[in-house]
Amino acid sequence: GAFSIQFDAQGFPQFNGAYTEIISQGGGLYIGYDPSHNFRLSDSYLSTGVAFPTDNLTHNYLLTSGVGGVSFYIDYSLVFSGPSALNPGNVGTRFGRQYGPHAEYFPGNIDNMSIYEGAFTADEVRAPGSSVPDAGGTLSLLVIAGAAMAAAFRRQRA
């Protein structure tokens, strides 16, 4: 079904020719970047051509997927869209690393992670200070506090 994933991330890119995952689910959904520093959005969009920011600042990311395809926003601006919707994974979720056995760790901070049922429309994507997006009664399925996220990430890297 349709879904949206929104989070803030501050990356300290270690572009060493490796793949990196910010969020990953077993079964096929992930958001990360490839060795050429371009965002990957699941196996459907292995390289979006959208470069991962290298300014070491925190940015807001929003991925929506539904009947109209997929849209990817950075700081509330549309940077990529594709015609095919993504299939969420069916086996667990990992933040800051790849779901499988690969060492695809995200070198940075992840905060304010929210996963929603339903795809936000372009009109529902709003910058800070405006009302929270509401995709027709969207149900928030998961909200993770930044402190807990950082602690979990540190434990996995240790």
Side-chain angles (χ1 to χ4, degrees):
F3 65 93
S4 299
I5 300 173
Q6 186 170 24
F7 59 92
D8 296 327
Q10 178 187 24
F12 307 107
Q14 300 170 355
F15 297 133
N16 56 4
Y19 289 95
T20 300
E21 305 301 342
I22 299 169
I23 182 174
S24 178
Q25 288 186 315
L29 174 67
Y30 54 83
I31 300 171
Y33 54 86
D34 64 20
S36 62
H37 323 146
N38 290 318
F39 273 97
R40 305 182 314 146
L41 307 174
S42 182
D43 289 338
S44 297
Y45 301 102
L46 290 174
S47 182
T48 61
V50 175
F52 183 86
T54 58
D55 56 11
N56 294 334
L57 299 175
T58 300
H59 295 277
N60 180 269
Y61 300 92
L62 172 63
L63 171 71
T64 66
S65 178
V67 175
V70 64
S71 297
F72 186 59
Y73 299 81
I74 299 178
D75 295 329
Y76 307 96
S77 293
L78 180 66
V79 295
F80 177 81
S81 62
S84 301
L86 303 177
N87 293 318
N90 56 6
V91 184
T93 303
R94 290 197 178 158
F95 302 95
R97 71 163 291 190
Q98 202 264 2
Y99 185 79
H102 307 289
E104 299 176 8
Y105 294 98
F106 176 66
N109 301 312
I110 304 169
D111 199 4
N112 301 317
M113 177 72 67
S114 298
I115 300 174
Y116 300 91
E117 182 179 43
F120 292 163
T121 65
D123 290 340
E124 293 168 328
V125 176
R126 295 187 177 93
S130 61
S131 61
V132 175
D134 179 12
T138 300
L139 170 65
S140 177
L141 299 177
L142 176 65
V143 178
I144 297 178
M149 190 67 218
F153 184 70
R154 280 192 295 272
R155 280 194 297 273
Q156 285 193 13
R157 292 205 52 161

